[in-house]
């Protein structure tokens, strides 16, 4: 009988569902607002104050060890802390003071979370609902990149749970700001089709921070402006130099300079679009630009009629999609039709002959009068 009871109890405990390991675990959220500009420097040194033992983030990690915690961490914030452990710069004239503070905080985070589960939020802790609406494919990248970045920073495995509903809060971006985020994202996405640069990919992922619920009105305006500046700087690294050209013959070869300031090789097509029919220009296919290089192309131009023509030089990928803003080439043709030249020359000769004839007649008439 005792054996039967023991077996029954054993079966009950085996069959009964075990409580979730996280049921009694406390949640620790490591998130904050944006501190590091998209252009690299820190806006101010407020993060260093948050990382002190008495600061908002310091109070979360400078605590006794516990095995019943789950750490919910924004990987972008940890990247900021890692950047602060080096020789970082400020956008102000103040002297940075956070290097040792950041190093101490990061060491303590690794120590205090070592025995716990760590969940990586989407990189930058964006408003997930808004990100799904504006850029669902980017959101998947934010999660994947965030997990990888956090694992590298903490030197351990972490979890990523897009369906875990760990993200909290709602972004307050207005419609115009959402449009600005979308344009910046599209610009970098297009450029990424031909430029395989880690720096470009990192900036693309960091745009997720613009959707963070932690940004106040001033932070949203400042960060959007700074992000646009950083995106424009990247777009300028792959460009066609604009220029003005004077065409004096029917067929002309014009020098066009293409610049690649990225540390990787890039292959593009260049479509030339003339705004009128006075001049016909050729386009270029599969132009390969070496890393950190300039290349001069020879543009064939054919003059149909004299006058001014604007030509837009547009870089595209292999599928014909734009990858960078177009350059403007201003062409001015002063070519004269050969038939008009012959006519003008002939008329001038006839006028000269007529003048000579008239002069001869006057001389003869004068001599006749003398006789």
């Amino acid at each position: 009988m005792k054996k039967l009871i023991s077996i029954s109890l054993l079966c009950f405990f085996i069959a009964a569902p075990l409580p979730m390991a996280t049921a009694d675990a406390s949640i620790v959220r490591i998130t904050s607002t944006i501190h590091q500009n998209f252009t690299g420097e820190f806006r101010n040194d407020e993060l260093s104050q948050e990382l002190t033992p008495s600061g908002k983030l310091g109070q979360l990690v400078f605590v006794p060890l516990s095995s019943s915690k789950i750490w919910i961490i924004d990987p972008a914030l940890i990247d900021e802390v890692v950047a602060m452990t080096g020789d970082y710069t400020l956008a102000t004239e103040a002297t940075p003071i956070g290097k040792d503070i950041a190093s101490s905080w990061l060491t303590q985070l690794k120590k205090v979370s070592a025995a716990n589960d760590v969940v990586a939020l989407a990189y930058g802790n964006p408003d997930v609902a808004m990100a799904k609406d504006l850029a669902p494919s980017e959101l998947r990248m934010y999660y994947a990149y965030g997990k990888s970045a956090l694992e590298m920073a903490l030197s351990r495995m972490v979890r990523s749970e897009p369906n875990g509903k760990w993200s909290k809060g709602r972004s307050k971006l207005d419609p115009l700001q959402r449009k600005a985020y979308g344009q910046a994202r599209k610009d970098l996405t297009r450029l990424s089709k031909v430029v395989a640069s880690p720096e470009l990919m990192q900036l693309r992922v960091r745009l997720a921070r613009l959707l963070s619920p932690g940004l106040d009105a001033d932070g949203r305006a400042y960060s959007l402006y700074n992000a646009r500046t950083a995106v424009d700087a990247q777009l300028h690294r792959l460009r066609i130099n604009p220029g003005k050209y004077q065409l004096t013959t029917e067929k002309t070869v014009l020098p066009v300079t293409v610049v690649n300031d990225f540390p990787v090789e890039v292959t593009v097509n260049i479509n030339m679009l003339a705004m009128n029919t006075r001049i016909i220009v050729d386009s270029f296919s599969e132009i390969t630009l070496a890393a950190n290089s300039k290349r001069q192309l020879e543009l064939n131009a054919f003059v149909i009629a004299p006058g001014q023509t604007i030509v837009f030089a547009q870089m595209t990928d292999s599928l014909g999609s734009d990858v960078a803003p177009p350059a403007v080439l201003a062409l001015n043709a002063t070519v004269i039709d050969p038939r008009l030249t012959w006519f003008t020359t002939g008329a001038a000769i006839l006028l000269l002959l007529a003048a000579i004839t008239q002069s001869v007649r006057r001389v003869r008439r004068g001599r006749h009068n003398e006789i």
Side-chain angles (χ1 to χ4, degrees):
M1 185 65 180
K2 290 182 178 180
K3 288 184 178 180
L4 181 60
I5 294 174
S6 299
I7 293 173
S8 299
L9 289 173
L10 180 62
C11 291
F12 171 78
F13 285 115
I14 292 176
L18 294 175
M20 293 290 291
T22 61
D24 298 326
S26 60
I27 305 299
V28 183
R29 302 183 64 83
I30 305 295
T31 62
S32 186
T33 188
I34 298 176
H35 302 92
Q36 188 178 20
N37 291 342
F38 290 88
T39 46
E41 72 280 4
F42 281 76
R43 183 179 181 183
N44 50 49
D45 224 357
E46 290 182 1
L47 178 58
S48 65
Q49 300 304 314
E50 293 185 23
L51 298 176
T52 61
S54 60
K56 182 182 73 172
L57 296 174
Q59 293 180 31
L60 298 176
V61 303
F62 289 101
V63 294
L65 299 180
S66 171
S67 60
S68 59
K69 288 184 178 180
I70 299 178
W71 297 80
I72 311 301
I73 301 178
D74 174 12
L77 173 59
I78 304 305
D79 275 356
E80 287 187 339
V81 176
V82 172
M84 187 169 277
T85 63
D87 295 324
Y88 68 99
T89 58
L90 300 176
T92 65
E93 296 181 357
T95 301
I97 61 171
K99 183 175 182 178
D100 293 337
I101 297 173
S103 296
S104 176
W105 185 91
L106 188 59
T107 299
Q108 179 64 15
L109 173 63
K110 293 178 180 179
K111 177 181 177 181
V112 78
S113 64
N116 305 139
D117 285 338
V118 174
V119 178
L121 293 170
Y123 196 88
N125 187 30
D127 176 345
V128 172
M130 182 177 289
K132 283 183 178 179
D133 180 54
L134 297 179
S137 61
E138 295 292 282
L139 179 59
R140 290 190 290 271
M141 182 179 67
Y142 297 158
Y143 272 112
Y145 189 93
K147 181 177 185 295
S148 176
L150 189 58
E151 287 179 339
M152 181 176 296
L154 299 183
S155 302
R156 56 162 291 177
M157 298 294 292
V158 303
R159 289 155 43 191
S160 177
E161 300 178 354
N163 298 320
K165 298 183 179 180
W166 294 110
S167 298
K168 303 295 181 182
R170 291 290 179 265
S171 170
K172 296 180 177 60
L173 287 184
D174 62 37
L176 287 178
Q177 291 173 331
R178 296 183 191 189
K179 184 177 180 180
Y181 158 79
Q183 186 60 54
R185 181 188 64 80
K186 290 176 182 177
D187 288 342
L188 291 181
T189 300
R190 285 194 289 259
L191 189 58
S192 297
K193 292 180 180 179
V194 295
V195 180
S197 168
E199 182 181 356
L200 186 62
M201 177 57 68
Q202 185 181 42
L203 177 58
R204 180 178 168 186
V205 174
R206 290 175 68 195
L207 290 180
R209 301 186 303 163
L210 297 174
L211 307 182
S212 172
L215 286 174
D216 58 18
D218 176 68
R220 291 192 295 274
Y222 178 89
S223 297
L224 280 164
Y225 177 82
N226 185 255
R228 186 67 254 177
T229 300
V231 170
D232 288 341
Q234 292 298 315
L235 293 175
H236 187 68
R237 297 176 71 179
L238 183 65
R239 65 188 183 276
I240 301 168
N241 286 344
K244 296 181 178 180
Y245 303 87
Q246 189 74 28
L247 285 69
T248 57
T249 59
E250 285 186 280
K251 181 179 179 181
T252 307
V253 176
L254 306 176
V256 176
T257 302
V258 186
V259 181
N260 174 26
D261 286 334
F262 285 101
V264 295
E265 183 180 278
V266 175
T267 299
V268 296
N269 297 330
I270 301 178
N271 293 332
M272 297 292 183
L273 178 62
M275 292 294 97
N276 57 48
T277 58
R278 290 192 180 97
I279 299 175
I280 298 175
V281 289
D282 289 341
S283 295
F284 302 92
S285 298
E286 297 184 354
I287 300 300
T288 299
L289 306 171
N292 298 311
S293 69
K294 294 182 180 180
R295 179 175 173 180
Q296 192 170 85
L297 306 178
E298 294 184 346
L299 174 63
N300 292 318
F302 305 89
V303 178
I304 304 301
Q308 296 182 342
T309 299
I310 296 297
V311 175
F312 287 102
Q314 178 67 68
M315 285 189 187
T316 69
D317 61 14
S318 59
L319 299 178
S321 299
D322 299 347
V323 298
V328 176
L329 309 180
L331 280 57
N332 184 29
T334 56
V335 179
I336 300 176
D337 192 307
R339 291 170 296 182
L340 180 59
T341 302
W342 281 108
F343 176 80
T344 304
T345 303
I349 293 173
L350 290 176
L351 288 174
L352 178 61
L353 292 175
I356 293 174
T357 301
Q358 186 68 21
S359 298
V360 170
R361 288 178 178 176
R362 287 177 180 175
V363 171
R364 288 179 177 178
R365 189 179 299 114
R367 290 179 178 178
H368 179 73
N369 291 335
E370 290 178 358
I371 296 174

